């Protein structure tokens, strides 16, 4: 594998990573939807109306709601950087690259000394390195935000399980 192939492989890997990050969001959205549905069920079910006077359950429900909210915030940040979007750099239009290779580099090389001449492959590698580094930074940030979102989902699941156990226990005691 030569240098150009190596850097192109890393560039392609970051583009694939971007796509996988986009795809992984669907599972998180589904899980958040289910958790919101579960919390809605707790409030709409007639058997669980007695929770109005239980402060401990309200505290857990409040924490659970905050965890869902934070998970949604980090999910939005990971998916679309809130409303700003992500500025993934790209190499360029191929027509521009070809012009640079065939016209601009030879013209430049004709006007400079031998030590200052540039090579198209070296310039392309340098461009791939800059673009890939920027894409890696963006993907790393998106991965971290997804990690935080998933952490809040797990906390929400734990609190929802605790709420379920408490409510089932209280419901069976009332019968």
């Amino acid at each position: 594998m030569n240098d150009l192939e190596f850097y192109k492989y890393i560039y392609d890997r970051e583009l694939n990573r971007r796509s996988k990050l986009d795809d992984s969001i669907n599972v998180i959205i589904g899980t958040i939807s289910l958790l919101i549905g579960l919390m809605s069920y707790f409030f709409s079910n007639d058997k669980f109306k007695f929770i109005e006077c239980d402060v401990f359950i309200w505290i857990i429900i409040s924490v659970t709601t905050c965890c869902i909210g934070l998970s949604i915030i980090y999910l939005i940040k990971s998916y679309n950087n809130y409303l700003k979007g992500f500025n993934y750099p790209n190499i360029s239009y191929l027509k521009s690259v070809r012009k640079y290779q065939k016209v601009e580099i030879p013209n430049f090389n004709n006007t400079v000394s031998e030590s200052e001449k540039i090579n198209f492959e070296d310039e392309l590698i340098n461009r791939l390195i800059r673009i890939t580094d920027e894409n890696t930074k963006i993907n790393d940030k998106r991965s971290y935000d997804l990690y935080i979102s998933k952490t809040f989902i797990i906390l929400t699941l734990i609190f929802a399980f605790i709420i379920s156990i408490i409510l089932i226990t209280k419901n069976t005691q009332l019968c």
Side-chain angles (χ1 to χ4, degrees):
M1 177 182 288
N2 66 27
D3 287 349
L4 181 59
E5 288 173 357
F6 171 74
Y7 291 111
K8 186 183 175 318
Y9 167 77
I10 301 297
Y11 171 76
D12 289 338
R13 188 189 71 175
E14 286 304 317
L15 289 180
N16 289 334
R17 191 170 163 220
R18 173 187 179 182
S19 178
K20 287 179 182 178
L21 286 169
D22 288 340
D23 293 342
S24 70
I25 289 173
N26 295 329
V27 173
I28 297 172
I29 290 172
T31 306
I32 289 173
S33 299
L34 288 172
L35 289 170
I36 291 172
L38 179 65
M39 296 307 293
S40 298
Y41 173 75
F42 288 153
F43 287 108
S44 66
N45 193 334
D46 288 338
K47 293 179 181 179
F48 300 124
K49 292 296 183 192
F50 60 86
I51 67 172
E52 294 173 3
C53 60
D54 196 336
V55 176
F56 178 70
I57 291 178
W58 276 107
I59 290 171
I60 294 176
I61 288 173
S62 299
V63 170
T64 304
T65 304
C66 288
C67 286
I68 290 173
L70 288 170
S71 179
I72 291 170
I73 288 170
Y74 279 97
L75 179 68
I76 292 169
K77 187 177 178 189
S78 172
Y79 185 68
N80 199 31
N81 198 18
Y82 300 116
L83 296 176
K84 294 182 266 184
F86 292 102
N87 189 16
Y88 279 95
N90 208 338
I91 293 176
S92 187
Y93 291 112
L94 288 179
K95 186 176 182 179
S96 299
V97 173
R98 187 67 171 168
K99 180 182 175 192
Y100 182 73
Q101 178 188 18
K102 292 296 183 181
V103 176
E104 293 178 21
I105 289 179
N107 287 344
F108 178 80
N109 286 344
N110 287 336
T111 60
V112 296
S113 67
E114 193 65 38
S115 63
E116 296 174 326
K117 290 185 179 186
I118 57 176
N119 178 320
F120 174 71
E121 188 171 308
D122 290 339
E123 290 298 311
L124 185 59
I125 288 171
N126 290 336
R127 176 83 175 173
L128 279 172
I129 290 170
R130 283 192 311 272
I131 291 169
T132 303
D133 284 350
E134 188 62 32
N135 289 348
T136 301
K137 288 176 190 174
I138 293 170
N139 286 338
D140 287 348
K141 180 68 176 134
R142 289 183 69 195
S143 294
Y144 178 75
D145 291 336
L146 274 176
Y147 164 75
I148 297 295
S149 181
K150 289 176 184 178
T151 301
F152 281 117
I153 287 175
I154 291 168
L155 289 173
T156 303
L157 286 169
I158 291 168
F159 288 125
F161 180 73
I162 292 169
I163 293 168
S164 298
I165 295 300
I166 291 170
L167 293 177
I168 290 169
T169 304
K170 285 190 175 206
N171 192 35
T172 55
Q173 289 174 355
L174 291 176
C175 295

